[in-house]
Amino acid sequence: MTRTLTMASDRSSLVRPPISGPQLVLAFDCAHPTTRPARFSLQGIHSVEFGRGARRRRTRSNGVLRIEVSDGFLSSRHLRFRSDGSGWRVEDAGSKNGSALDGVALTDSAELRDRAVVSAGQTLLLFLTDGTSFADEPDLDLVGVPPGRAHLATLYAHLAQAFLDLEGVAESSLPVLIHGETGTGKELLAQSVHEDSGRESLVAVNCGALPPTLVTSELFGAKKGAYSGATANRRGLIRAADGGTLFLDEIAEMPLDAQAVLLRVLQEGEVLPVGSDQPERVDVRIVAASHQDLLKAVREGRFREDLYARLAGYQFTVPPLRERPADIGLIVGTLVERENARLSFTQDAARAFFDYHWPRNVREVRHALASSAAVAKGTKIDRKHLPEALRSPRESESSAREDPEATEQKLRASLARHQGNVSAAARDLGTSRSQVRRLAARFGIDLDSFRG
């Protein structure tokens, strides 16, 4: 039906600039969460018809995109999406079981805003105003995620291209510096770089966990008697990684004196154990990672500028999950497949995963799934089984402390600031789109009145 994104050897076919534009994403199958998502570019399309079919398939003809999925709770013609020239709207096409937009039943045609979630049957669809694809690959059906490489799968063409570029860099000897928030999977990327390099062993070091008084000897080794307690020669982690890859996680936590010695390793290709006057040659590929702003650390004198320049042979930034809403279903499905393939979700519970802002990224998704499955004591997860943060994301803090008038004023100010964009207002207020809509209804606020 559609081309499958290659995540392995054939890089040349994908080395081309991505294009941006509106997209519709088959984001999640509540009954079968391990079903891979798909994305469809709406470039050149004026109408989308969505409904039930014998299998997943899509056809494009004369500006009309027809998408079918094998969801038994859908009608054969369930939803219509239409472009009016300035934006997109959605309406239920007279389906038996109805549809919802951001948790609110669709009773009439409704405007689609960025990251709007449309629920139909057991399927969640996600609308993006600015998704990315390749010009000759408008549709992408992720049906073949390589085992062990699920963290390199994405529905975003620009990120897929970045992963492929990193694969090419991995085959060189360049140091790699990975930036990203806590929980984004920097260590998994480091592992991929090592695997693609063809080097021998991978030695991973959490620089923030090394005892401050032993950092130098742990990394660079020590001669017997070099200090009190050194009762034997210590090889050190860098020499242990000789011929392989040394992954220095949380590199910003490394003390300045250890940074100076590491710089020598990078410059000279040799390490001087504590208490020795004879350097030893090492062949080590350095991959470093940090959730901190290293350039800021350089400006503040906490990190050596010359070491930063050496480490930053190639830099890669892992985007936070809140910037990858189309990948949420893919990540959840991959984790379910790995941990408990029998799990399913109610529509309400699944939508909560798309409403939440995931401040702790993929790591938080993994923990949320594990705890929800434990609470559910079965195979179906409902919203009541989810962690509190997902059931009512951050809305309890601000709303509980403020009187209704203050809450209404904040909501009106945010809606005005973002011209009625519910998703942007939700992010601004630190809550969910559904809560913004609930508060608007509570205070009699007409969302359309804020839109230009």
Side-chain angles (χ1 to χ4, degrees), residues 346-412:
T346 65
Q347 192 185 93
D348 197 29
R351 198 176 64 251
F353 278 78
F354 291 85
D355 280 345
Y356 189 52
H357 57 294
W358 300 110
R360 286 163 289 282
N361 297 292
V362 178
R363 184 177 300 155
E364 189 176 12
V365 178
R366 185 169 62 248
H367 293 163
L369 280 174
S371 65
S372 299
V375 173
K377 296 180 180 179
T379 59
K380 177 167 276 191
I381 293 176
D382 196 1
R383 182 180 282 263
K384 65 184 179 182
H385 302 132
L386 302 177
E388 173 62 26
L390 270 71
R391 293 202 302 271
S392 47
R394 289 181 58 187
E395 59 196 46
S396 57
E397 288 185 28
S398 57
S399 297
R401 291 195 301 265
E402 295 175 354
D403 59 42
E405 184 177 352
T407 301
E408 180 180 356
Q409 288 176 353
K410 266 193 173 182
L411 178 60
R412 287 185 179 276

Side-chain angles (χ1 to χ4, degrees), residues 123-144:
T123 304
L124 299 188
L125 298 104
L126 178 70
F127 176 78
L128 300 176
T129 58
D130 198 27
T132 59
S133 58
F134 295 111
D136 59 344
E137 190 178 49
D139 304 329
L140 175 63
D141 188 9
L142 269 178
V143 295

